[in-house]
Amino acid sequence: MNFHGTTILAVRHKGKAAVAGDVQVTLNYTVVKVHARNVRRIYNDIIFVGFAGATADALNLSERLEQNLERYFGNLTRSAVELARDWRTDKYLRRLE
């Protein structure tokens, strides 16, 4: 059995947070980029996001989350809920990984 995945790790301890990713981009089973930024800051550099999965799909969802953050004035919970709602109801988004 072959396993395939990307690692994004987030830890919060005593009011501080750290987010890290494995910095690889893969296409099927081939590593195509070994120093990618799959963890980045958004919304005026106050929110960290990490993406995993099909790179184009993850970037698309990340951009949509950032648009929602702008629309809901940085409310991360509301933005994530709206993204999940869109993901469930939009025919195009449902096909993303």
Side-chain angles (χ1 to χ4, degrees), residues 30-49:
T30 305
V31 175
V32 293
K33 189 169 184 182
V34 294
H35 295 293
R37 285 188 56 211
N38 52 3
V39 174
R40 61 189 180 117
R41 293 176 185 225
I42 61 172
Y43 194 71
N44 302 319
D45 291 341
I46 60 172
I47 295 176
F48 287 93
V49 295

Side-chain angles (χ1 to χ4, degrees), residues 58-82:
L59 286 171
N60 186 324
L61 291 172
S62 179
E63 288 173 6
R64 286 176 179 260
L65 176 62
E66 195 164 8
Q67 290 170 357
N68 283 349
L69 285 165
E70 294 293 332
R71 183 180 307 137
Y72 298 113
F73 306 102
N75 185 330
L76 182 58
T77 302
R78 174 82 188 268
S79 299
V81 167
E82 292 299 323

Side-chain angles (χ1 to χ4, degrees), residues 5 7 26 37 50 52 62 76 83 85 97:
T7 303
T26 57
R37 285 188 56 211
S62 179
L76 182 58
L83 178 61
R85 180 177 297 145
E97 295 180 15

